[in-house]
Amino acid sequence: MVIKKICCIGAGYVGGPTCSVIAYKCPDIVVTVVDLSQQRIDQWNSSKLPIFEPSLEDVVRQCRGKNLFFSTDIVTAIKEADLIFISVNTPTKTFGVGKGRAPDLKYIEAAARNIADVVKVGSKIIVEKSTVPVRAAESITNILHANTRPGTTFQVLSNPEFLAEGSAICDLLNPDRVLIGGDSTADGRAAVDALASVYEHWIPKERIIKTNTWSSELSKLAANAFLAQRISSINAMSVICEATGANVSEVAHAVGMDSRIGPKFLQASVGFGGSCFQKDVLNLVYLCESLNLPEVAIYWQQVIDMNDYQRRRFANRIVEGLFNTVTDKKIALLGFAFKKNTADTRESASIYVSKYLMEEGARLNIYDPKVEREQMM
């Protein structure tokens, strides 16, 4: 199958930048990003995009209205597309079984049911782009097959994103790898090759990894768990350094010089934030618990526990440094996003530190050049 039209359901941090770069690098493919939120779509069609990423505005401006479109007409976009990305939110559940650890897949299910309801005839490739638990593609496949009409076929692929906010466009233009998982059937391999052909417009074939669906889904969780683990590891070392008089930056440099370890993600901090690391590690913990692997679940839970400890410890150090009380004292926080070059505040360490200090009676003044006042409030 030759991909001529792509639809992306979900105009968020993943769907918007990913499809903008695809349109930028594939002028022969029409890309339509759809969302239920009229406000979000209006922002994508305006001069002020709903998210900030370096170079994203330039990419969108060059393609929008030519082969890149943002719309709320989900039905038409699904009908016309050869390939459909599902890039909807998968937040951690706040109730029921798996509360606080398992991902909530209600938006994934709703998207799959919408596709099944709209597509009356023809073949479609459905690609899960959202971060999902292992075997989520199987659930999507079951929903689609249960509602399949005569003359309609679906192939479900896994194509996880490995973007770092603040450098997402650079990551998309020059990725370390692109991972595509699909069925081992002839139709499944053909669907994988069709999606690979899109990326081959600008990515060397040797960087495109083809696996089975389950390996692809688990690889995403594993990658983020390993990165989060490194952050918690160096933060744990920072506690030891403070107690012994060692310099954590010097220790990190010495450790990072080992070619087997490398220097990346070895900078001590207040802890990791963002929408991915905590959610994906908790997802992995829940997966281990579901598979009756309690020892493995406890191991990965410690990555989260260390991150929580570092946030609380940082706030406590501030209180201790101000004569053990911050009541009515004015404290300035420079930065509210979870990292530089982004406006994303999800799971930002600043939120937790602010909360702890406010509980102690502090009066905070917060500044961030990219974060709107409404996001802080």
Side-chain angles (χ1 to χ4, degrees):
M1 175 189 290
V2 177
I3 306 299
K4 295 181 179 179
K5 290 189 176 182
I6 291 176
C7 164
C8 177
I9 302 176
Y13 280 91
V14 175
T18 298
C19 286
S20 295
V21 169
I22 289 176
Y24 176 66
K25 286 294 186 178
C26 307
D28 55 321
I29 298 177
V30 176
V31 181
T32 304
V33 182
V34 295
D35 201 285
L36 289 172
S37 171
Q38 183 67 58
Q39 179 185 14
R40 180 170 286 263
I41 292 300
D42 289 343
Q43 288 176 314
W44 278 109
N45 284 319
S46 71
S47 58
K48 186 176 182 180
L49 303 183
I51 63 176
F52 172 77
E53 276 291 335
S55 302
L56 174 60
E57 187 176 334
D58 293 337
V59 170
V60 171
R61 187 169 56 246
Q62 290 186 53
C63 303
R64 190 173 55 197
K66 298 175 183 176
N67 68 321
L68 175 63
F69 302 92
F70 298 93
S71 172
T72 55
D73 189 353
I74 299 175
V75 172
T76 300
I78 290 175
K79 283 181 178 179
E80 295 181 350
D82 303 307
L83 184 148
I84 303 167
F85 284 116
I86 298 179
S87 300
V88 296
N89 192 20
T90 53
T92 301
K93 290 184 69 174
T94 57
F95 59 90
V97 178
K99 174 184 176 181
R101 300 186 305 283
D104 190 339
L105 300 181
K106 62 183 179 182
Y107 301 117
I108 292 279
E109 180 181 346
R113 293 190 182 281
N114 197 5
I115 293 169
D117 184 57
V118 169
V119 179
K120 301 293 195 294
V121 67
S123 299
K124 304 284 185 183
I125 299 174
I126 314 301
V127 184
E128 53 174 24
K129 198 72 178 171
S130 305
T131 299
V132 293
V134 178
R135 306 196 79 88
E138 187 175 51
S139 299
I140 296 173
T141 300
N142 290 338
I143 291 171
L144 294 173
H145 286 175
N147 297 276
T148 297
R149 297 173 175 82
T152 304
T153 60
F154 297 101
Q155 284 296 320
V156 179
L157 307 180
S158 169
N159 177 218
E161 51 83 18
F162 294 99
L163 307 180
E165 288 190 41
S167 61
I169 300 304
C170 181
D171 295 339
L172 287 162
L173 292 173
N174 187 33
D176 292 330
R177 79 292 202 195
V178 171
L179 185 57
I180 305 173
D183 290 341
S184 57
T185 62
D187 288 342
R189 288 192 294 270
V192 169
D193 290 341
L195 177 55
S197 69
V198 174
Y199 288 113
E200 286 169 8
H201 279 72
W202 78 97
I203 298 170
K205 286 186 178 182
E206 58 269 19
R207 291 193 196 174
I208 300 175
I209 304 171
K210 301 175 183 179
T211 70
N212 68 44
T213 311
W214 326 131
S215 295
S216 176
E217 291 176 334
L218 184 57
S219 294
K220 165 64 175 177
L221 298 183
N224 278 347
F226 275 49
L227 294 174
Q229 180 192 46
R230 283 177 70 97
I231 296 173
S232 283
S233 293
I234 195 61
N235 283 342
M237 291 304 304
S238 74
V239 182
I240 299 173
C241 287
E242 290 177 20
T244 60
N247 185 316
V248 68
S249 296
E250 294 175 349
V251 172
H253 178 67
V255 171
M257 289 292 287
D258 189 323
S259 60
R260 298 168 300 175
I261 299 173
K264 293 184 178 181
F265 281 76
L266 286 183
Q267 184 173 350
S269 65
V270 193
F272 56 77
S275 64
C276 291
F277 282 2
Q278 177 160 312
K279 181 177 71 172
D280 288 358
V281 175
L282 288 172
N283 189 339
L284 193 59
V285 170
Y286 182 69
L287 175 64
C288 294
E289 291 174 345
S290 302
L291 297 172
N292 194 27
L293 302 171
E295 294 83 2
V296 183
I298 291 171
Y299 175 83
W300 288 112
Q301 180 63 46
Q302 284 299 311
V303 173
I304 298 295
D305 293 345
M306 184 64 225
N307 200 55
D308 293 341
Y309 169 69
Q310 186 76 341
R311 291 165 171 168
R312 171 64 75 175
R313 192 175 75 89
F314 184 80
N316 289 341
R317 288 291 301 274
I318 294 174
V319 175
E320 291 169 5
L322 293 173
F323 307 101
N324 292 311
T325 178
V326 292
T327 302
D328 288 331
K329 291 180 179 178
K330 295 180 180 180
I331 298 176
L333 267 71
L334 302 181
F336 201 70
F338 83 93
K339 63 185 291 190
K340 67 179 182 179
N341 286 331
T342 182
D344 192 354
T345 61
R346 289 176 292 181
E347 294 298 328
S348 172
S350 289
I351 294 176
Y352 290 90
V353 172
S354 298
K355 178 174 176 287
Y356 299 149
L357 293 176
M358 289 172 68
E359 288 174 352
E360 293 289 335
R363 298 169 64 186
L364 303 182
N365 289 307
I366 304 171
Y367 171 76
D368 192 302
K370 298 300 180 184
V371 179
E372 300 288 344
R373 178 182 175 86
E374 292 72 22
Q375 285 179 263
M376 298 182 189
M377 304 301 288

